[in-house]
């Protein structure tokens, strides 16, 4: 699922909860807040803390949302603030504490221009009290010292002719590095701040003369650095890709995107021996109507073997004149020994967020069928309108079809779950570290800053959710919330199993980073990533058949109608 952090919403202190894990237990308990980068903010923070003002958290968020240091250095400052405010005995036993602190957090005149601390600042942190920090934190800060010394050695080179943009390019890469250091969540538990600091130094040492002289080199270095995380969902995006990703394309890019929305609706996965795997079939597309599903392997297009083709060539073969057909030979995931050739019509692929229909039960009442193609604010508004209209019509229940829904905005999945659950029922938890629950989302108690409009529960009628192997991310949030609260049964296949959340972070030059920042747990708690997906209550492997939304054409809809009929009689 993808979320663009709202510009108007308060930004959390970078990496705060992770930093707590870098402090040894006796000190971790005393940490309350991160300090800013000046003595003034420290003084105000201590004052607020000592009086236990309720507004302390919001004060700190507003004052230091742009605190520009790595997570490791912030960990040190967190501790120093706590000690300065709460532990007078520490001040008494270490008279130079205040001077050391000023050395650490003050921006010294004449230091090399960098987003990271100078070698002098980093070494001062290490000298204050090594017993405060875990081994990993100490190793990471020592690596920052090495990097800072390297940067200081480049001062003359960066000021030489032909290197006019070297400093700006370095600052851009440092910013990208900091975002990862502060925000990255590694569900595999492999991420190390020390190794990440090594990666930054290695990236510059690999550059000619230790400098990145143009944007092309900088973007390539950023892409390689992000790839080293080993996270398939995290990546660096150049400006044009970033604009498209957050749906703010320029006019020329809109024309390009319009051209891309004509075709068969096959989303390619990875290349394997003998062809290309299907990642998903786009909702309402020719591929979906032909029954192509995630995991199918494409081996030929129009008679051409595709084993040696790259992704661009694969996509080009699927495009063509509107109304023309393309022959696609696939090896089905469910019967790999039997290749099948299907003929797909090339046509426009409109993607309205919601499709709705009324389906009659055998004894007369109707059921509202709501198919969510992806999660967006537009889709949430359409969902609210659809529920209100269905309640006016007096429907017997709801079928929410999430098959082939790849996700979308996490908060919109939360908002839709809020419409279907009773106040106080848990929707999901977001987790930033192994032991820290970042947020618990509950129906009827959502943040007004993120959810200014909250209609509350709109219906208590029976609900059935349809899923398949391409039901992913935000779709799993909604399905898991309804299922975990016994609000809905699941009919279909096991879901994809993507229980992690990505945010887009903008860079100064218009580029950006898509980064995994947390995982979510559905009520239980249930870890979708670890479990590999949500399991259906009733197994069904049928697929959506375009406009033919009838039980005769779709056995999963047929099964859902039967269940709603049974629940209505209870």
């Amino acid at each position: 699922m993808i979320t663009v952090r709202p510009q108007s919403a308060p930004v959390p202190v970078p990496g705060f909860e992770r930093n707590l894990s870098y402090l040894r237990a006796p000190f971790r308990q005393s940490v309350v807040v991160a300090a800013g980068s000046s003595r003034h903010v420290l003084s105000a923070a201590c004052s607020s803390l000592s009086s236990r003002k309720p507004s302390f958290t919001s004060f700190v968020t507003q004052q230091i949302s742009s605190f520009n240091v790595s997570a490791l250095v912030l960990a040190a400052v967190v501790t120093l603030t706590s000690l300065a405010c709460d532990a007078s005995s520490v001040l008494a036993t270490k008279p130079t504490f205040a001077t050391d602190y000023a050395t650490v957090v003050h921006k010294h005149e004449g230091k090399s221009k960098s987003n990271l601390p100078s070698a002098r600042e980093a070494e001062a942190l290490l000298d204050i009290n090594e017993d405060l920090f875990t081994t990993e934190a100490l190793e990471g800060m020592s690596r920052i010292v090495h990097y800072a010394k390297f940067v200081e050695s480049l001062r003359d080179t960066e000021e030489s002719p032909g290197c006019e943009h070297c400093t700006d390019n370095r600052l851009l890469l440092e910013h990208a590095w900091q975002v990862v250091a502060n925000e990255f969540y590694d569900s595999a538990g492999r991420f190390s701040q020390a190794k990440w600091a090594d990666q930054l130094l290695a990236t510059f040492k690999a550059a000619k003369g230790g400098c990145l002289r143009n944007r092309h080199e900088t973007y390539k270095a950023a892409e390689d650095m992000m790839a080293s995380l080993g996270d398939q969902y995290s990546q660096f995006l150049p400006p044009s890709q970033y604009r498209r990703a957050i749906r703010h394309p320029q006019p020329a890019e809109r024309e390009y995107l319009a051209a891309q929305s004509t075709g068969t609706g096959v989303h390619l996965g990875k290349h394997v021996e003998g062809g290309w795997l299907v990642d998903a079939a786009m909702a309402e597309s020719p591929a979906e109507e032909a029954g192509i599903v995630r995991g199918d392997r494409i081996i030929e297009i129009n008679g051409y073997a595709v084993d040696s083709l790259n992704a661009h060539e694969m996509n080009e073969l699927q495009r063509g004149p509107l109304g023309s057909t393309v022959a696609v030979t696939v090896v089905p995931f469910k019967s790999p020994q039997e290749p099948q050739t299907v003929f797909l019509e090339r046509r426009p692929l409109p993607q309205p967020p919601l499709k709705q229909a009324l389906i009659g039960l055998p004894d007369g009442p109707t059921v509202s069928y709501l198919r969510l193609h992806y999660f967006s604010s537009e889709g949430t508004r359409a969902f609210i309108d659809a529920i209100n209209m269905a309640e006016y019509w007096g429907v017997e229940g709801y079928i929410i079809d999430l098959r082939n829904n790849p996700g979308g905005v996490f908060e919109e999945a939360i908002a839709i779950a809020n419409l279907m659950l009773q106040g106080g029922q848990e929707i999901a938890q977001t987790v930033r570290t192994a032991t820290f629950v970042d947020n618990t989302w509950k129906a009827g108690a959502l943040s007004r800053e993120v959810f200014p409009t909250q209609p509350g529960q709109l219906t208590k009628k029976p609900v059935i959710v349809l899923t398949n192997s391409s039901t992913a991310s935000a779709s799993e949030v909604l399905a898991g919330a309804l299922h975990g609260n016994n609000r809905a049964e699941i009919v279909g296949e096991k879901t994809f199993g993507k229980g992690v959340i990505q945010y887009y972070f903008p860079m100064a030059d218009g580029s950006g980073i898509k980064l995994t920042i947390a995982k979510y747990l559905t009520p239980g708690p249930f870890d979708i990533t670890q479990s590999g997906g949500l399991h259906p209550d009733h197994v069904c492997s049928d697929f959506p058949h375009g406009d033919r939304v009838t039980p005769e054409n779709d056995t999963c809809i047929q099964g859902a109608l039967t269940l709603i009929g049974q629940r209505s009689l209870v």
Side-chain angles (χ1 to χ4, degrees), residues 10-71:
V11 180
V13 176
F16 178 71
E17 53 279 338
R18 175 183 288 131
N19 297 333
L20 300 185
S21 68
Y22 295 144
L23 308 179
R24 296 194 186 279
F27 299 97
R28 190 183 311 147
Q29 302 305 316
S30 66
V31 174
V32 178
V33 69
S37 58
S38 71
R39 300 285 295 279
H40 169 72
V41 174
L42 172 63
S43 175
C46 287
S47 174
S48 294
L49 182 60
S50 62
S51 61
R52 298 294 190 269
K53 292 181 180 178
S55 60
F56 183 55
T57 301
S58 61
F59 164 79
V60 171
T61 299
Q62 294 169 6
Q63 294 294 317
I64 60 174
S65 60
S66 60
F67 190 42
N68 208 17
V69 297
S70 75

Side-chain angles (χ1 to χ4, degrees), residues 116-312:
L116 302 181
S118 67
R120 179 184 174 189
E121 290 172 329
E123 287 173 332
L125 281 169
L126 292 172
D127 289 342
I128 289 176
N129 191 341
E130 292 189 1
D131 292 336
L132 294 175
F133 308 109
T134 62
T135 301
E136 180 188 356
L138 288 171
E139 290 178 354
M141 284 189 281
S142 68
R143 303 300 211 289
I144 290 175
V145 172
H146 296 322
Y147 174 76
K149 290 180 177 179
F150 174 76
V151 170
E152 288 164 7
S153 73
L154 295 176
R155 182 178 299 178
D156 292 340
T157 303
E158 290 187 341
E159 294 175 355
S160 64
C163 209
E164 292 82 0
H165 301 292
C166 292
T167 299
D168 289 340
N169 292 336
R170 175 171 54 76
L171 292 176
L172 178 67
L173 198 66
E174 286 179 356
H175 185 193
W177 181 90
Q178 280 182 303
V179 168
V180 174
N182 290 335
E183 302 284 359
F184 180 55
Y185 174 79
D186 181 11
S187 59
R190 298 167 299 189
F191 182 73
S192 160
Q193 289 282 5
K195 290 181 181 178
W196 186 235
D198 285 340
Q199 183 66 42
L200 180 65
L201 180 58
T203 298
F204 280 103
K205 284 188 172 181
K208 183 178 180 181
C211 294
L212 300 169
R213 299 176 183 274
N214 55 58
R215 279 294 193 249
H216 175 75
E217 291 180 0
T218 306
Y219 291 164
K220 182 63 170 61
E223 290 169 357
D224 291 345
M225 192 169 70
M226 293 296 296
S228 73
L229 293 172
D231 178 31
Q232 61 178 313
Y233 304 115
S234 297
Q235 62 183 130
F236 176 83
L237 300 170
S240 60
Q241 292 182 28
Y242 182 72
R243 288 193 298 271
R244 291 199 296 270
I246 63 173
R247 301 188 181 188
H248 291 295
Q250 295 180 344
E253 293 168 337
R254 290 193 194 100
E255 296 177 8
Y256 170 81
L257 291 173
Q260 303 305 299
S261 65
T262 299
T264 63
V266 172
H267 285 175
L268 292 175
K270 62 183 180 181
H271 180 271
V272 295
E273 184 177 354
W276 283 80
L277 293 180
V278 174
D279 187 53
M282 184 182 294
E284 306 294 320
S285 68
E288 182 186 73
E289 293 173 11
I292 292 177
V293 299
R294 176 180 175 80
D296 287 355
R297 178 163 52 93
I298 299 176
I299 58 175
E300 290 185 357
I301 296 180
N302 283 340
Y304 294 100
V306 301
D307 185 39
S308 61
L309 301 183
N310 60 36
H312 175 73

